[in-house]
Amino acid sequence: MRIQSLLLLFAAALAGCVLPPKEAPHPEQLTNDRVGLAGVAAEPVADGWWNSFQDRQLDRLVRQGLKDSPTLVQAQARLGEALAQTQSAQSKLLPSANLDASALYQRAPENYLIPPPLAGHTFWMGQAGASLGWDLDFWGRQADAVHRAQALTQSAQYDADNARLMLAGAITQAYVELYREYALVDIAERSEAQRQNIVNITRRRVSAGLDTRLELRQAEGQLPQARVARTQAQAAADLAVHQLAALTGQGADSYASIQRPTITVDAALPVPTALPINLLARRPDVLSARLNVQAADAQRLADKAAFYPDVNLRAIAGIGAFGMNNLLEWSARGYGAGPLISLPLFDGGRLRAEYRGSEAQLDVAIAGYNDTVLHAVQQTSDQITRLDALARERVDLQQTLEANEAAYSLAEERYKAGLASYLSVLNAETQVLTARQTMVDILANQAVARVTLLLAVGGSFDPHSSRILTRINP
């Protein structure tokens, strides 16, 4: 510490104009306690959560996507780049050695540095030597660079984990959408069959003189609409297959291999009645954002250390001579060792600009972390609210659907018996169709919301804390 103090005073005396500026105030970083992220998990949750849907095709598609996704390839490449930068930074803490040798055939000027008899003649000049250098890193500049590189490497790893989590979630949600579209195809086919049945009933009633051709035309006019709805539903299912193939990194040749989902959407990924808020702390993007703050602060400290003198140890040893025959003589040897101190006297404001830039990057990183945490809390709360609302909607809609199904059956029987008009049957059928479609939407939306909630809490609902985020109505 005494040597460091002397060097610092020496630097201040000679380079007062390039002393580090006073540190500017930085934004306040949200603490774990303020957002309830106590008990931070060290690692994100592992893969495999989608197996809760118990669908082998889904598992195959997710693993296919994780294997072939260009997004993940890019994330892994960025991780490899960050790891290489860490290794490069660590190497600067170690001594470096070089071995150099040269042989030059030249003519020496007559009136220059080389004296007679070599002046004005041509000859060989050879030399060989080894040099050793070691940056003592008195002010921790290289150590801070290593800390920055390590933080960025771990951040890149979490970014890759987050990319895997988001891709698996996107594929699973697309698979639920495919389930939705096939369910709507079923409803459209069932509606078409019902309308064909009504047409048949109407024809018999016209033959019996109970209806006119007006009612028959009305019934027949509804049948093409049902076919259009079925065609549209099938097209939507095909589009969902295309999207799923694209997400899994496959082309048009894979469309035929994607079959109808067999998942039970209302049973997959059951959500507990209470979730601990500290689950958010293991989200890969939260962990990555926190490490970005650490990396930015390490860069700031490294830029601050650049204002102080560098202290290096240098040592050289080798041989050199005029004429290759003299190169191996004992008198051709030479060596030396000593410290090398360099300090900035004038740099045109470069060091100050770099330091101000690193302070600004630290502010950006802190703001980014705060935004990531707040977004995580909001996203999780939004999905919990959505799940709670969907659960209530499902209960009410189930009662509506049962009532509409009963009303349609009754209207169909009354129409068959000549006790009701075709319009009453059509109205009852419309209400049933709407209720069925809405029920499918609610079931699919519940599954999508559960997947989104799972992504929001880092990949699992497994509680490890008594600190409660909120409660979800069963």
Side-chain angles (χ1 to χ4, degrees), residues 227-444:
R227 295 195 187 102
V228 169
R230 176 175 56 80
T231 302
Q232 291 175 342
Q234 185 61 58
D238 293 340
L239 293 177
V241 169
H242 301 171
Q243 180 186 17
L244 194 56
L247 285 172
T248 56
Q250 303 178 77
D253 56 341
S254 67
Y255 293 167
S257 65
I258 300 178
Q259 304 299 316
R260 178 171 183 161
T262 59
I263 57 177
T264 306
V265 291
D266 57 345
L269 294 178
V271 181
T273 57
L275 286 177
I277 191 174
N278 67 338
L279 289 179
L280 302 180
R282 70 182 177 199
R283 280 178 52 138
D285 57 342
V286 172
L287 295 171
S288 176
R290 183 183 293 118
L291 286 165
N292 286 337
V293 174
Q294 296 177 15
D297 190 51
Q299 181 64 54
R300 180 187 64 83
L301 294 175
D303 288 340
K304 185 176 183 180
F307 288 89
Y308 307 140
D310 283 334
V311 181
N312 301 273
L313 292 180
R314 290 288 185 269
I316 57 173
I319 54 177
F322 293 110
M324 302 300 291
N325 294 332
N326 301 324
L327 190 62
L328 299 180
E329 294 183 2
W330 183 249
S331 60
R333 75 189 188 281
Y335 50 83
L340 174 63
I341 300 176
S342 62
L343 66 158
L345 292 178
F346 179 76
D347 67 344
R350 176 182 60 84
L351 293 179
R352 289 178 178 272
E354 291 178 352
Y355 184 72
R356 286 193 295 268
S358 62
E359 284 200 316
Q361 288 298 319
L362 178 58
D363 294 345
V364 171
I366 293 174
Y369 172 76
N370 292 344
D371 182 68
T372 300
V373 171
L374 294 176
H375 178 71
V377 173
Q378 178 192 357
Q379 185 183 33
T380 305
S381 301
D382 288 349
Q383 294 307 313
I384 289 175
T385 299
R386 181 170 177 78
L387 279 171
D388 189 42
L390 287 171
R392 293 194 301 268
E393 291 175 14
R394 180 178 175 182
V395 172
D396 293 336
L397 183 62
Q398 183 63 42
Q399 297 175 356
T400 301
L401 178 58
E402 292 174 357
N404 288 342
E405 293 275 9
Y408 176 75
S409 298
L410 181 59
E412 185 180 11
E413 292 297 326
R414 287 174 56 84
Y415 180 64
K416 188 183 302 183
L419 300 177
S421 66
Y422 169 74
L423 183 59
S424 64
V425 177
L426 182 60
N427 290 336
E429 184 202 29
T430 300
Q431 293 177 355
V432 168
L433 177 61
T434 301
R436 289 172 182 169
Q437 292 172 336
T438 305
M439 178 59 75
V440 169
D441 287 338
I442 287 179
L443 292 175

Side-chain angles (χ1 to χ4, degrees), residues 92-110:
K92 295 180 181 179
L93 293 174
L94 302 175
S96 62
N98 294 295
L99 178 64
D100 300 295
S102 66
L104 180 65
Y105 186 72
Q106 67 175 22
R107 182 186 185 280
E110 295 183 10

Side-chain angles (χ1 to χ4, degrees), residues 60-195:
R60 175 180 64 81
L61 290 172
V62 171
R63 296 192 182 280
Q64 179 77 26
L66 295 179
K67 175 177 175 291
D68 297 335
S69 170
T71 301
L72 295 185
V73 172
Q74 292 175 358
Q76 289 298 327
R78 286 192 291 269
L79 175 59
E81 180 184 7
L83 183 59
Q85 291 177 351
T86 298
Q87 295 172 344
S88 175
Q90 290 173 334
S91 68
K92 295 180 181 179
L93 293 174
L94 302 175
S96 62
N98 294 295
L99 178 64
D100 300 295
S102 66
L104 180 65
Y105 186 72
Q106 67 175 22
R107 182 186 185 280
E110 295 183 10
N111 301 312
Y112 195 53
L113 298 177
I114 300 176
L118 298 177
H121 295 81
T122 57
F123 55 87
W124 281 96
M125 183 174 68
Q127 60 181 7
S131 63
L132 176 69
W134 188 11
D135 188 343
L136 299 182
D137 197 26
F138 266 93
W139 318 108
R141 181 181 183 184
Q142 300 301 337
D144 289 328
V146 171
H147 296 158
R148 174 183 179 272
Q150 290 174 336
L152 290 178
T153 299
Q154 189 61 56
S155 175
Q157 177 63 67
Y158 287 139
D159 287 339
D161 292 337
N162 189 61
R164 289 177 60 86
L165 184 62
M166 293 299 105
L167 179 59
I171 293 173
T172 304
Q173 290 173 333
Y175 200 72
V176 173
E177 289 299 322
L178 182 60
Y179 159 84
R180 183 206 305 264
E181 299 303 337
Y182 271 113
L184 293 177
V185 169
D186 289 344
I187 292 175
E189 290 177 347
R190 185 176 176 183
S191 177
E192 181 183 358
Q194 288 177 340
R195 291 187 179 182

